[in-house]
């Protein structure tokens, strides 16, 4: 049993949890990784298939452009599928899917590989080759992971754009990645309504010129515009002989790019985080195995969207690498009633549920009666990600959903890190609101402005001191920004963009972002994106966006706008502006409130001081105003 000497509000693992854990204890793994960090990762990597072994685990000669498993050849799609298909595992369920309307589809490893091979051949026939970018803008349906794996199989780079984004967000991501092919759906079901994905894509395609072919998966069945010579129905192509099952896989250098994922940064446009086949594969495989203690008989459900990093790493790649059964649900948690999730847990016998605090808070407000109507005894472990979990939500998740038996793995990580970084393992004592300690072998610290480590319980910049296999390799098309943004404030250390504190037990507590990123319902948005959507409206001259605390969403967007000279303030203008942001960027970015103002607080060099706006909105002291212009 773990020692019971920790301070504060501690939940120790039950005897049952400790005894039933099939993974080593945290202390054991940490000791191994401390003794020989690269040996630890090499041992993990050797559990996967490499057609040629690596000659060097880590190359740090071009810091911060680290490379892993140099000389090794592999393919993440092979390790997700073919590796299992060669064993009795071939008939195990790889993917279970439930549609919002209740339809059900399932794929064994054998069947999933078959679909991926057929799709890979189809992509080839459209002229997609190694290194080409393919944008995916789809709902949560099995064809999304199939398309991702098909890209990986041929060495193409997928760039998934979350289906909740809209016109400008999609256009910008297609343009920046210079994608040749777009894969989309006619529509997606969300809360019983249809999100017209193809229609949004058509509008986005008018703003960018790189796409040669659009593959459309039929899901919702409504009439859509199909442009001759550009748009193709997926189901029609999949019936052609070119969509052959026979697809010889190409083994790739470990450092071959796997995907781009756009995320909001400190300033300016969203940036494309680049991950590669080898290191990302080893990182996601290892962390999911140890943290969730994934087992042969498990049914595992990560309720994120595949369009975000959580879905990439822990709906698609991590679970398949581990030979697990991954469950994917198409729709909203409360559709048609607030027991939808609990119903599915009972129906499919889900053992592990991994979700975000915002979802927990959202479901909590409907009360205990909804989950209590269902048999949730299949659950063994729970996970949380995306933002700090407030102790109240933690308790509810633990007692009402986990029935007091299931430990909660509060995993801190980022699009950039690719894998869990601060996280418990099943038998680690937990403190509600803390992700406990760094994953074995990782070294992290909390620094003050001068780069000096702060004392216990003091707030500072969270940094990572050593490289890890699933780390981003660069910002696609912008290596300088990669260096400037992540590796320059404290040379040699990776800057996370979060502030945190560490208590006397060495447990980390994330406080929040220190940059211009706003986390709305766990979704990462940049003030710059919201502001640029606002100023693209003809009435707006200038805009500023801030995040203010929100009971369910964690943060909600509040925006301030200055109107163009001569622009009349009519009654519906703020409502019109909110809809405009929703149309351009997506409903998740729709500001809660927009205020029309005559001026904005700025520094003498003209930068908007969002911190002043925020302090004012919260009725707090704005702090040092020395740089304020007026
Ligand atoms: O602020 C941290 C918060 O989410 C940020 C990363 O966002 P994104 O790249 O979209 O990835 C989210 C899913 C991995 C972090 O900088 N964050 C993520 N997980 C946690 C968290 N904050 C507190 N606790 C967490 N468990």
């Amino acid at each position: 049993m773990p020692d019971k000497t920790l301070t504060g509000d501690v939940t120790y693992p039950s005897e049952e949890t400790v005894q039933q854990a099939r993974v080593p204890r945290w202390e054991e793994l940490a000791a191994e990784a401390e003794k020989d960090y690269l040996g630890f990762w090499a041992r993990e990597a050797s559990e996967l298939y490499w057609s040629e072994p690596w000659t060097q685990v880590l190359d740090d000669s071009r810091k911060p452009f680290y490379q892993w498993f140099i000389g090794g050849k592999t393919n993440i799609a092979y390790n997700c599928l073919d590796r299992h298909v060669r064993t009795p595992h071939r008939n195990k369920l790889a993917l279970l899917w439930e549609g919002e309307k209740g339809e059900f589809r399932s794929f064994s490893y054998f069947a999933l590989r078959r679909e991926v091979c057929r799709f890979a051949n189809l992509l080839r026939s459209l002229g997609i080759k190694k290194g080409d970018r393919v944008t995916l803008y789809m709902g949560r349906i099995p064809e999304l992971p199939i398309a991702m794996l098909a890209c990986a199989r041929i060495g193409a780079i997928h760039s998934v754009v979350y289906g909740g984004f809209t016109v400008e967000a999609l256009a910008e991501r297609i343009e920046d990645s210079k994608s040749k092919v777009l894969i989309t759906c006619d529509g997606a079901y969300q809360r019983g309504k249809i999100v017209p994905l193809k229609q949004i894509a058509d509008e986005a395609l008018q703003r960018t010129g790189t796409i040669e072919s659009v593959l459309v998966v039929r899901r919702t069945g409504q009439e859509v515009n199909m442009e001759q010579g550009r748009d193709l129905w997926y189901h029609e192509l999949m019936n052609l002989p070119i969509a052959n099952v026979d697809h010889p896989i190409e083994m790739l250098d470990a450092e071959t790019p796997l995907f781009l994922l756009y995320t909001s940064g400190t300033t300016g446009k969203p940036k494309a985080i680049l991950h590669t086949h080898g290191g990302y594969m080893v990182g996601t495989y290892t962390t999911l195995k140890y943290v969730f203690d994934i087992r042969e008989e498990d049914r595992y459900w990560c309720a994120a969207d595949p369009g975000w990093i959580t879905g990439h790493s822990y709906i698609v790649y991590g679970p398949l690498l581990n030979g697990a059964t991954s469950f994917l649900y198409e729709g909203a948690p409360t559709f048609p009633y607030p027991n939808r999730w609990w119903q599915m847990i009972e129906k499919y016998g889900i053992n592990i549920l991994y979700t975000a605090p915002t979802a927990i808070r959202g479901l909590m407000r409907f009360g205990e009666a909804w989950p209590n109507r269902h048999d949730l005894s299949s659950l063994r472990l729970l996970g949380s990600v995306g933002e700090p979990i407030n102790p109240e939500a933690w308790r509810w998740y633990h007692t009402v959903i986990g029935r007091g038996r299931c430990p909660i793995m509060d995993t801190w990580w980022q699009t950039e890190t690719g894998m869990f970084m601060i996280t418990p393992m099943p038998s680690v004592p937990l403190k509600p609101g803390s992700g406990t300690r760094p994953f074995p072998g990782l070294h992290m610290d909390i620094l003050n402005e001068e780069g000096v480590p702060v004392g216990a319980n003091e707030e500072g910049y969270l940094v990572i001191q050593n490289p890890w296999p699933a780390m981003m390799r660069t910002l696609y098309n912008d290596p300088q920004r990669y260096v400037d943004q992540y590796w320059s404030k404290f040379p040699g250390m990776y800057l996370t963009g979060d502030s945190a504190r560490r208590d006397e037990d060495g447990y980390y507590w994330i406080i929040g972002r220190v940059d211009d990123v706003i986390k709305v319902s766990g979704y990462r948005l940049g003030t710059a994106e919201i502001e640029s959507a606002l100023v693209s409206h003809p009435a707006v001259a200038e805009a500023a966006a801030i995040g203010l605390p929100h009971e369910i969403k964690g943060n909600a967007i509040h925006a301030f706008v200055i109107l163009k000279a001569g622009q009349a303030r009519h009654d519906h203008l703020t409502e019109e502006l909110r809809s405009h942001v929703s149309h351009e960027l997506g409903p998740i970015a729709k500001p809660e409130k927009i205020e029309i103002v005559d001026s904005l607080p700025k520094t003498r060099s003209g930068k908007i001081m969002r911190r002043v706006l925020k302090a004012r909105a919260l009725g707090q002291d704005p702090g040092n105003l020395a740089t304020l212009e007026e």
Side-chain angles (χ1 to χ4, degrees):
M1 285 298 285
D3 73 283
K4 293 206 169 183
T5 55
L6 299 183
T7 54
D9 177 7
V10 187
T11 301
Y12 290 95
S14 69
E15 195 110 19
E16 188 192 343
T17 298
V18 175
Q19 270 165 12
Q20 289 184 357
R22 296 196 205 155
V23 288
R25 293 186 55 219
W26 185 88
E27 286 74 13
E28 238 173 277
L29 269 195
E32 183 199 343
E34 282 309 320
K35 208 163 128 209
D36 179 6
Y37 185 59
L38 297 185
F40 168 79
W41 286 113
R43 180 179 62 68
E44 291 301 329
S46 66
E47 292 180 6
L48 297 161
Y49 176 79
W50 300 77
S51 64
E52 274 176 44
W54 58 88
T55 50
Q56 196 183 349
V57 177
L58 170 68
D59 177 1
D60 58 4
S61 60
R62 291 191 312 123
K63 283 176 204 176
F65 298 95
Y66 294 92
Q67 299 206 317
W68 286 79
F69 305 108
I70 317 304
K73 283 200 172 222
T74 188
N75 185 313
I76 196 170
Y78 183 93
N79 275 295
C80 284
L81 299 170
D82 301 57
R83 188 166 60 95
H84 305 302
V85 168
R86 290 167 182 274
T87 70
H89 229 93
R90 68 191 336 236
N91 293 323
K92 181 177 169 175
L93 289 175
L95 187 66
L96 295 178
W97 175 83
E98 185 168 304
E100 197 179 72
K101 296 165 113 184
E103 315 96 303
F104 172 70
R105 289 168 75 190
S106 67
F107 298 81
S108 64
Y109 274 88
F110 177 81
L112 192 60
R113 178 186 173 276
R114 181 187 62 216
E115 294 310 296
V116 168
C117 287
R118 296 175 66 210
F119 200 8
N121 278 324
L122 209 153
L123 286 174
R124 279 250 170 90
S125 76
L126 292 174
I128 294 296
K129 349 177 259 314
K130 194 157 108 184
D132 286 346
R133 276 79 57 212
V134 177
T135 295
L136 279 55
Y137 179 61
M138 306 167 77
R140 280 195 288 259
I141 54 172
E143 284 74 12
L144 175 49
I146 290 170
M148 291 164 71
L149 288 157
C151 289
R153 203 174 162 90
I154 62 174
I157 306 172
H158 59 72
S159 164
V160 182
V161 178
Y162 170 56
F165 278 132
T166 48
V167 185
E168 185 54 26
L170 176 60
E172 209 171 77
R173 285 159 176 77
I174 290 174
E175 183 74 20
D176 188 77
S177 64
K178 304 210 170 15
S179 289
K180 280 210 240 174
V181 167
L182 170 69
I183 307 170
T184 187
C185 304
D186 50 357
Y189 287 112
Q190 190 58 241
R191 264 179 252 282
K193 296 203 185 87
I194 292 175
V195 182
L197 295 179
K198 175 65 165 67
Q199 196 186 317
I200 297 169
D202 284 338
E203 204 179 327
L205 291 178
Q206 287 170 9
R207 302 185 190 180
T208 159
T210 67
I211 296 290
E212 293 164 11
S213 317
V214 180
L215 275 180
V216 190
V217 180
R218 181 176 277 162
R219 168 66 187 130
T220 44
Q222 81 279 19
E223 218 27 67
V224 293
N225 156 57
M226 294 292 279
E227 195 173 300
Q228 271 280 335
R230 187 195 71 183
D231 301 353
L232 303 155
W233 282 110
Y234 175 81
H235 61 271
E236 286 176 5
L237 294 180
M238 284 296 252
N239 276 332
L240 300 177
I242 41 158
N244 197 309
V245 184
D246 186 15
H247 183 269
I249 193 163
E250 190 185 338
M251 288 295 155
L252 308 162
D253 284 333
E255 287 292 317
T256 306
L258 170 63
F259 65 83
L260 303 180
L261 195 53
Y262 284 84
T263 192
S264 308
T266 308
T267 49
K269 288 186 171 182
K271 48 199 182 164
I273 309 292
L274 179 79
H275 284 288
T276 56
H277 275 252
Y280 175 80
M281 170 176 86
V282 175
T284 53
Y285 166 73
T286 307
T287 47
L288 187 63
K289 178 176 67 173
Y290 289 128
V291 174
F292 285 161
D293 190 5
I294 283 261
R295 300 173 190 176
E296 192 57 37
E297 63 278 18
D298 276 346
R299 288 187 167 186
Y300 157 83
W301 180 16
C302 166
D305 192 282
W308 297 84
I309 192 66
T310 311
H312 280 56
S313 298
Y314 298 113
I315 296 178
V316 183
Y317 291 113
L320 296 177
L321 290 167
N322 277 284
T325 300
S326 190
F327 175 67
L328 180 67
Y329 165 58
E330 179 183 39
T334 51
F335 188 84
Y337 301 109
N339 64 333
R340 182 63 185 263
W341 274 22
W342 321 128
Q343 202 174 36
M344 291 190 297
I345 289 172
E346 176 173 352
K347 180 168 165 194
Y348 298 110
I350 302 292
N351 308 99
I352 302 172
L353 172 67
Y354 184 34
T355 185
T358 185
I360 300 163
R361 289 190 297 263
L363 289 162
M364 199 170 129
R365 94 191 132 133
F366 294 102
E368 288 180 28
W370 290 102
N372 285 346
R373 277 167 53 189
H374 296 276
D375 178 4
L376 304 181
S377 61
S378 59
L379 289 173
R380 187 185 75 241
L381 215 108
L382 300 171
S384 175
V385 62
E387 52 178 327
I389 181 165
N390 48 311
E392 197 194 356
W394 196 97
R395 292 258 163 253
W396 192 83
Y397 198 29
H398 189 245
T399 55
V400 179
I401 306 308
R403 310 276 147 101
R405 291 178 302 106
C406 308
I408 298 177
M409 302 297 110
D410 179 356
T411 61
W412 177 92
W413 58 295
Q414 309 177 300
T415 309
E416 292 87 340
T417 70
M419 64 180 218
F420 304 151
M421 299 300 281
I422 298 177
T423 175
M425 283 172 38
S427 32
V428 165
L430 305 171
K431 300 190 190 186
S434 166
T436 76
R437 290 165 293 183
F439 186 76
L442 296 175
H443 291 186
M444 314 198 27
D445 211 341
I446 298 172
L447 309 179
N448 68 13
E449 198 61 50
E450 285 70 48
V452 179
V454 300
N457 290 314
E458 281 174 37
E459 185 177 340
Y461 295 98
L462 179 67
V463 297
I464 307 172
Q465 294 164 306
N466 54 353
W468 62 100
M471 66 198 302
M472 69 190 292
R473 293 302 191 263
T474 188
L475 289 175
Y476 186 70
N477 280 339
D478 205 349
Q480 190 56 47
R481 191 167 164 203
Y482 168 68
V483 177
D484 294 345
Q485 200 157 316
Y486 298 101
W487 299 94
S488 298
K489 187 170 175 78
F490 305 115
M493 287 187 224
Y494 171 85
L495 185 72
T496 63
D498 280 8
S499 65
R501 62 185 178 83
R502 189 172 43 203
D503 69 18
E504 41 290 279
D505 298 319
Y507 276 41
Y508 285 72
W509 299 79
I510 303 297
I511 294 160
R513 300 288 308 189
V514 284
D515 52 11
D516 294 330
V517 168
I518 308 178
K519 277 275 181 163
V520 183
S521 300
Y523 295 120
R524 183 165 159 181
L525 297 165
T527 51
E529 290 164 88
I530 303 157
E531 290 159 6
S532 100
L534 280 166
V535 295
S536 74
H537 188 280
V540 178
E542 265 189 276
I546 58 169
L548 293 180
H550 184 279
E551 206 182 333
I552 308 279
K553 299 178 184 176
N555 293 289
I557 300 166
H558 285 240
F560 301 84
V561 297
I562 301 178
L563 298 181
K564 283 191 180 146
Q567 172 67 43
R569 289 188 190 203
H570 62 80
D571 287 352
H572 311 297
L573 188 56
T574 54
E575 202 40 48
E576 187 180 314
L577 294 176
R578 289 178 68 227
S579 304
H580 177 73
V581 175
S582 180
H583 177 262
E584 288 293 300
L585 210 52
I588 46 163
K590 190 172 182 173
E592 199 79 356
K593 198 173 157 209
I594 297 183
E595 229 178 285
I596 298 173
V597 293
D598 296 324
S599 68
L600 288 166
K602 286 185 189 164
T603 60
R604 276 179 215 107
S605 57
K607 269 178 73 177
I608 295 172
M609 295 180 82
R610 294 186 191 81
R611 117 185 120 76
V612 175
L613 286 169
K614 194 164 169 170
R616 201 157 65 193
L618 293 171
Q620 293 170 349
D621 173 15
N624 181 2
L625 292 179
T627 54
L628 190 69
E629 186 192 31
E630 55 193 58

